[in-house]
Amino acid sequence: MPRIEIDLPLSLKTALEQEAARSGKDLGAHIRAILADHLKAEVHTVFQISTSGALVAGVYDREVSVGALLEHGDFGLGTFAGLDGEMVVLDGKAFQARAGGEVHEAPAEAGSPFAVVTRFSADQVGETEGVTSFDGLGAACDCFRSSNNIFHAVRLDGRFKRVKARAVCPPKPGTLLADAAKTQSEFTFEDVDGTLVGIWSPAYSAEFSVEGYHFHFLSDDRSQGGHVLEVEAGPLRIAVENLTDFHLILPETEHFLKANLDQDVAATLSSVERSHS
Ligand SMILES: [Zn+2]
């Protein structure tokens, strides 16, 4: 995090310290909270639309527009209404990677049933070692995470030797995610510059989020992308944001309200979200 030094009158310093003591925060955290509130800036805040369990149960209806989503964040991932491909939100733009392999910028009116976005602001930056697998990538990123008990946004930039990715195809309405994933398209991108957009979610959130690392890829030329299944890359630039303010926006559609969400979400997701080969 960058540091700033400022001169303060003693009276203001004393008042800040007293208020920080009352709020139970340390002085730095208290001043950051005041600034974020005053500037209407969301710091360390993540917005999630709907739950992973609703996706597993086949609730893929449009819940928010891409335009509304981008008001809450400039970085993140998700999917599109009707499971029409993978969403990558990067540098304030949303991209749609479709099963046919094409990638384009999503229009503001496009709909999403599930997405996770944040205003990306790195707390830790550095460089990873080279990685040869998805698990290796996770281990490399682990060194830059501060805790297993908060959410993290993870951005990795650089040259990728190989990225195996998938994009979901729109299934018939009512199809469960596990069945929809059987018809996903898989692609392998080789020797390409790009970015991994990732969210890391704690184990306790498995009932409503995607536990562990969830990465979507986007090439620098914005022509290749998808949900990442495997990865091989040299050292990558990494930036990690701690996410401690979690907003969950639940759909109010009839489909969501009546869906049976009492299922084992985590087991289904781990088979759907990871590589099958
Ligand atoms: Zn995904």
Side-chain angles (χ1 to χ4, degrees):
M1 246 190 285
R3 290 180 66 88
I4 51 173
E5 279 182 42
I6 54 168
D7 296 319
L8 274 186
L10 183 61
S11 57
L12 194 52
K13 179 171 178 283
T14 307
L16 274 171
E17 283 168 347
Q18 284 171 346
E19 214 178 72
R22 269 200 301 277
S23 74
K25 291 184 179 135
D26 76 51
L27 188 59
H30 183 61
I31 293 172
R32 283 192 291 275
I34 291 173
L35 284 172
D37 190 47
H38 181 76
L39 299 170
K40 303 281 180 276
E42 287 134 0
V43 177
H44 299 160
T45 301
V46 59
F47 286 85
Q48 179 176 313
I49 311 300
S50 192
T51 70
S52 53
L55 271 192
V56 166
V59 182
Y60 312 135
D61 313 314
R62 170 198 185 92
E63 184 50 37
V64 292
S65 68
V66 161
L69 202 55
L70 293 178
E71 286 173 20
H72 290 300
D74 55 14
F75 178 95
L77 42 77
T79 186
F80 289 90
L83 278 193
D84 189 10
E86 311 287 338
M87 182 190 291
V88 194
V89 178
L90 185 58
D91 297 332
K93 291 180 179 172
F95 295 86
Q96 183 171 17
R98 281 210 167 106
E102 90 272 25
V103 173
H104 63 258
E105 191 176 340
E109 62 275 14
S112 171
F114 175 85
V116 190
V117 294
T118 180
R119 256 177 232 297
F120 192 80
S121 156
D123 294 297
Q124 291 86 236
V125 293
E127 190 174 73
T128 68
E129 311 163 355
V131 297
T132 55
S133 67
F134 190 94
D135 289 338
L137 175 70
C141 295
D142 283 347
C143 310
F144 295 88
R145 280 193 303 107
S146 55
S147 167
N148 284 332
N149 299 329
I150 61 173
F151 291 75
H152 293 85
V154 183
R155 174 178 179 151
L156 295 127
D157 291 276
R159 181 135 188 107
F160 293 82
K161 192 159 178 254
R162 186 175 70 96
V163 178
K164 184 180 169 195
R166 71 109 200 265
V168 281
C169 308
K172 288 205 189 80
T175 308
L176 300 182
L177 187 66
D179 295 322
K182 287 174 189 155
T183 58
Q184 69 189 18
S185 302
E186 296 186 359
F187 323 94
T188 300
F189 310 128
E190 286 179 339
D191 294 315
V192 57
D193 292 320
T195 301
L196 291 176
V197 171
I199 300 289
W200 185 91
S201 303
Y204 65 76
S205 72
E207 291 295 322
F208 57 91
S209 286
V210 179
E211 179 184 353
Y213 289 101
H214 182 187
F215 284 111
H216 286 189
F217 176 75
L218 189 65
S219 63
D220 279 1
D221 67 4
R222 308 302 192 234
S223 72
Q224 296 173 307
H227 169 102
V228 175
L229 300 170
E230 272 304 335
V231 62
E232 233 180 291
L236 297 166
R237 295 186 302 285
I238 183 170
V240 176
E241 177 182 13
N242 304 331
L243 300 170
T244 50
D245 187 2
F246 188 97
H247 295 241
L248 179 60
I249 294 130
L250 294 173
E252 292 180 69
T253 56
E254 173 112 352
H255 196 178
F256 179 83
L257 295 175
K258 301 232 163 113
N260 174 14
L261 303 181
D262 302 332
Q263 344 181 9
D264 189 352
V265 174
T268 308
L269 269 181
S270 72
S271 77
V272 168
E273 299 295 312
R274 301 299 296 273
S275 187
H276 302 290
S277 54

